[in-house]
Amino acid sequence: PPVDPTPERGGLSLSDEEYAIFDRLQKKRAQRALARLLHEEFPDADLQTCRTVAQSAPAAAARFGLSSVKQVRVMARLILQLGPEFWEREPEASAILNRHDLRPWQKKDALLRWMVRRPVDVVRYGKNAPDVDRFSVSAAQSLRHNWMQRF
């Protein structure tokens, strides 16, 4: 909506068209920042995949009532690690996301706790996890601890 000029705002006024342009630019900037963050955290993922995930994550998060930056980041990480619409293949994630008694921040926290309990190879490689020795338990715990601390 247009912003009325007021003395407190220094006389700023935006038309509906200007506001829409500003909103689009802000969303694009946020998507680019999220794509860079994903690419830094997951260097094996190509940049275009990170861009695609960054574009789709806000809508996927909104589907479950998640809208804050942290909530969208968690959704983006899960999509990148487990694939699009991971909640359709992961019953526990679906149960968390579809709980109506949880607030959005509680859903985010529950998703993070769920990720900590998942096997490292599945988190890192999705359903096509290689049949190789897993990371050591201490390395896995450290990796997950660092991931949890960022959110």
Side-chain angles (χ1 to χ4, degrees):
V3 177
D4 293 327
T6 62
E8 302 88 45
R9 295 185 183 262
L12 174 67
S13 177
L14 297 176
S15 69
D16 288 340
E17 183 180 342
E18 291 168 327
Y19 185 81
I21 291 169
F22 178 75
D23 190 48
R24 271 196 315 273
L25 290 172
Q26 285 298 99
K27 286 180 182 176
K28 186 170 285 257
R29 183 176 173 208
Q31 286 177 355
R32 288 179 180 157
L34 179 55
R36 281 192 305 273
L37 177 74
L38 291 171
H39 191 59
E40 288 171 9
E41 289 184 8
F42 303 96
D44 293 341
D46 65 276
L47 187 55
Q48 186 54 46
T49 299
C50 293
R51 286 181 184 143
T52 301
V53 169
Q55 289 172 350
S56 66
R63 178 177 177 176
F64 300 103
L66 307 175
S67 60
S68 77
V69 171
K70 288 183 178 183
Q71 294 160 9
V72 172
R73 284 180 184 166
V74 168
M75 180 64 77
R77 285 179 178 90
L78 290 168
I79 291 170
L80 186 60
Q81 291 179 328
L82 302 174
E85 299 176 350
F86 65 89
W87 53 88
E88 292 180 1
R89 297 178 303 280
E90 300 289 344
E92 196 170 348
S94 179
I96 292 167
L97 290 166
N98 288 302
R99 282 188 59 184
H100 299 292
D101 63 320
L102 294 180
R103 294 190 170 151
W105 66 268
Q106 292 170 315
K107 288 181 182 183
K108 173 194 63 91
D109 290 351
L111 286 171
L112 288 171
R113 285 191 301 274
W114 171 69
M115 285 300 295
V116 169
R117 293 190 310 268
R118 292 182 55 72
V120 173
D121 55 354
V122 174
V123 169
R124 188 162 183 198
Y125 300 103
K127 293 289 185 187
N128 299 321
D131 188 21
V132 296
D133 290 334
R134 295 180 184 205
F135 294 104
S136 71
V137 172
S138 62
Q141 289 172 340
S142 173
L143 210 167
R144 289 180 175 151
H145 176 73
N146 291 340
W147 198 74
M148 288 283 289
Q149 293 296 22
R150 296 188 80 173
F151 310 97

